[in-house]
């Protein structure tokens, strides 16, 4: 008599150091034989405290109402009729709910010029993620 085994654990891809906004969708490749997944988030890297678990039947879970400046840790286990897999690798990201500040110093607002060369200067900053620059894309209107 054969008995089915618990599925293999999912594998999570690394997350960016900072995640924008107050929610995070975690996704992974579907695991063969899994009927659901147990996705966890915690503010503790060893999941010893502040653990929230979501049971989902798809290979992603969204966690909402995440606090600015907090590092969250994520892991997932696959589930089938034989049980729960080991947990996946743990990944983490710090939430950054405040958009970077961007200030253009020149050209002045509404400035028009007869030249083909315009120098744009300014600053961008985000104390949380360390953003320190900005790229400017200028399109050409066809009149």
């Amino acid at each position: 008599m054969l008995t089915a085994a618990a599925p293999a654990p999912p594998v999570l891809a690394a997350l960016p150091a900072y995640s924008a906004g107050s929610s995070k969708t975690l996704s992974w490749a579907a695991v063969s034989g899994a009927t659901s997944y147990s996705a966890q988030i915690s503010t503790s890297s060893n999941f010893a405290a502040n653990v929230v678990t979501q049971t989902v039947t798809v290979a992603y879970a969204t966690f909402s109402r995440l606090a600015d400046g907090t590092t969250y840790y994520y892991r997932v286990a696959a589930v089938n009729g034989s049980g729960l897999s080991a947990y996946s690798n743990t990944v983490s990201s710090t939430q950054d709910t405040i958009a970077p500040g961007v200030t253009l110093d020149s050209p002045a607002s509404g400035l028009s010029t007869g030249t083909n060369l315009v120098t744009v200067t300014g600053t961008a900053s985000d104390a949380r993620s360390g953003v320190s620059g900005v790229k400017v894309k200028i399109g050409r209107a066809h009149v």
Side-chain angles (χ1 to χ4, degrees):
M1 177 174 156
L2 292 175
T3 55
V11 176
L12 299 178
L15 297 175
Y18 297 93
S19 294
S22 61
S23 66
K24 181 71 180 168
T25 298
L26 184 67
S27 60
W28 54 92
V31 173
S32 179
T35 55
S36 65
Y37 301 92
S38 177
Q40 291 188 328
I41 182 175
S42 178
T43 55
S44 170
S45 63
N46 64 1
F47 292 82
N50 301 319
V51 178
V52 173
T53 302
Q54 278 189 34
T55 299
V56 295
T57 57
V58 292
Y60 64 89
T62 300
F63 296 93
S64 301
R65 297 182 0 198
L66 304 180
D68 183 59
T70 302
T71 299
Y72 292 96
Y73 300 88
Y74 304 87
R75 67 183 184 181
V76 180
V79 181
N80 69 11
S82 296
L84 187 74
S85 74
Y87 278 99
S88 67
N89 55 306
T90 298
V91 295
S92 65
S93 188
T94 300
Q95 288 306 122
D96 188 358
T97 63
I98 302 167
V102 177
T103 304
L104 292 180
D105 300 324
S106 69
S109 179
L111 176 75
S112 62
T113 179
T115 69
N116 291 334
L117 179 63
V118 176
T119 302
V120 177
T121 62
T123 58
S125 64
D126 184 351
R128 177 124 16 255
S129 69
V131 169
S132 61
V134 63
K135 289 185 179 180
V136 177
K137 182 178 180 181
I138 299 174
R140 173 177 250 170
H142 296 283
V143 183

